[in-house]
Amino acid sequence: MNQKKVIVLVGASRGIGKATVEKFASNPDHTILALSRNTKGMEQFSHLSNVKCFGFDLEVSNVREQAEKIFADFDSIDILINNAGKLVNKSFTDLTPQDLTSSYQANVIGVMQTVQAALPKMLEKGGHIVNISSMGGFQGTVKFAGLTAYSTSKAAVCSFTELFYEEHKDTKVKMNCLCLGAVQTEMLEEVFPGYLAPVSAEKMGEFITDFALNSHQWINGKIIPVSLSTP
Ligand SMILES: NC(=O)c1ccc[n+]([C@@H]2O[C@H](COP(=O)([O-])OP(=O)(O)OC[C@H]3O[C@@H](n4cnc5c(N)ncnc54)[C@H](OP(=O)(O)O)[C@@H]3O)[C@@H](O)[C@H]2O)c1
């Protein structure tokens, strides 16, 4: 297997994304493109010579062009991880149009537009796109009050994975979707203060790294729960 990979990770500045970037970077053969709004937060990668950081915002109208500009310097992309997530915690009746629009822009539309930008760079050599969803977006799971904007948008990412598969199953580009359970990060602490998740961001980063590098040899178009617990 070719060990040299170009890996794009969106939502790299903290939490699971940060841990995943660090795990990929431990292999010096990989080049990692770390994308997030908070470029200051990504200065933590400055000691990693194989990590290149880019300011990137999913909540703007030109996500596709923004991504195309970043990808232009690379002949091919092997792995794209759509890890960024926006969580609005508000009761359904209080949700504003802005809450709904920004949640869907960051969690769904921005993800699709990033994929549109990356796809031409993946078609020839082949690649794996991993969407990070949530157990809240997985059918039949426990749901939590206040998470309508977040969990419905995460469910849309699951559905997108199946639809993308249908249109690209005859190409070398694979897509899978991981529905995560509780992982100890700033996001979890903000929504469920004091809850202790059984999985650290570093452990989940290890899992995502291994999954992204290997699983598409056997799995394509699948929505996979990755959960020891939900709060
Ligand atoms: N932690 C959990 O228990 C849990 C459970 C289920 C699913 N998940 C999912 O796992 C993923 C990572 O979660 P986490 O807990 O690590 O969250 P986190 O600590 O809040 O990190 C989220 C990341 O997304 C980026 N992001 C948010 N909005 C963005 C935007 N508009 N444009 C670009 N980047 C944006 C943030 O970077 P900037 O602010 O720098 O842009 C940050 O790096 C998310 O998709 C989340 O929904 C987490």
Side-chain angles (χ1 to χ4, degrees):
M1 202 188 348
N2 178 14
Q3 292 303 313
K4 284 185 195 278
K5 306 273 183 211
V6 174
I7 295 140
V8 177
L9 188 140
V10 184
S13 63
R14 66 179 203 172
I16 296 163
K18 168 183 179 287
T20 307
V21 167
E22 286 169 345
K23 185 65 191 166
F24 274 120
S26 64
N27 182 339
D29 283 341
H30 297 327
T31 300
I32 299 102
L33 280 57
L35 277 55
S36 257
R37 291 169 303 182
N38 179 6
T39 46
K40 192 121 192 79
M42 291 193 291
E43 283 172 8
Q44 61 205 335
F45 301 133
S46 55
H47 65 291
L48 301 169
S49 58
N50 56 343
V51 178
K52 300 176 191 308
C53 299
F54 300 89
F56 185 72
D57 189 354
L58 290 161
E59 290 172 60
V60 292
S61 59
N62 64 337
V63 174
R64 185 172 178 169
E65 293 96 278
Q66 205 188 166
E68 280 168 349
K69 274 192 196 135
I70 295 170
F71 302 158
D73 287 341
F74 299 85
D75 292 336
S76 61
I77 293 170
D78 298 283
I79 292 173
L80 166 64
I81 302 183
N82 290 309
N83 164 77
K86 180 186 177 87
L87 194 152
V88 172
N89 184 6
K90 244 184 209 186
S91 68
F92 173 66
T93 46
D94 290 341
L95 284 171
T96 64
Q98 167 65 12
D99 291 331
L100 290 165
T101 307
S102 64
S103 297
Y104 274 74
Q105 178 61 41
N107 294 343
V108 189
I109 299 166
V111 169
M112 292 184 189
Q113 291 171 322
T114 307
V115 171
Q116 286 174 327
L119 191 56
K121 302 274 179 186
M122 302 182 104
L123 284 168
E124 194 180 319
K125 271 179 66 190
H128 190 194
I129 301 168
V130 180
N131 298 325
I132 303 299
S133 181
S134 164
M135 285 304 282
F138 193 84
Q139 191 187 4
T141 56
V142 175
K143 299 294 186 276
F144 295 95
L147 298 189
T148 297
Y150 173 73
S151 295
T152 62
S153 65
K154 287 297 189 180
V157 170
C158 295
S159 185
F160 167 52
T161 304
E162 294 180 323
L163 285 149
F164 178 90
Y165 164 78
E166 201 50 42
E167 287 192 26
H168 298 88
K169 60 190 175 195
D170 297 328
T171 75
K172 289 192 256 178
V173 183
K174 319 288 183 199
M175 180 185 281
N176 288 296
C177 181
L178 300 178
C179 294
L180 307 190
V183 181
Q184 200 60 50
T185 66
E186 290 96 326
M187 179 192 272
L188 185 81
E189 179 60 25
E190 282 159 19
V191 192
F192 300 104
Y195 179 84
L196 288 181
V199 179
S200 66
E202 289 70 28
K203 274 286 169 206
M204 187 53 78
E206 274 177 40
F207 176 82
I208 293 171
T209 304
D210 185 51
F211 182 87
L213 286 168
N214 298 308
S215 69
H216 57 305
Q217 297 170 81
W218 301 281
I219 306 168
N220 190 15
K222 296 292 183 285
I223 301 159
I224 302 159
V226 182
S227 175
L228 288 175
S229 76
T230 44

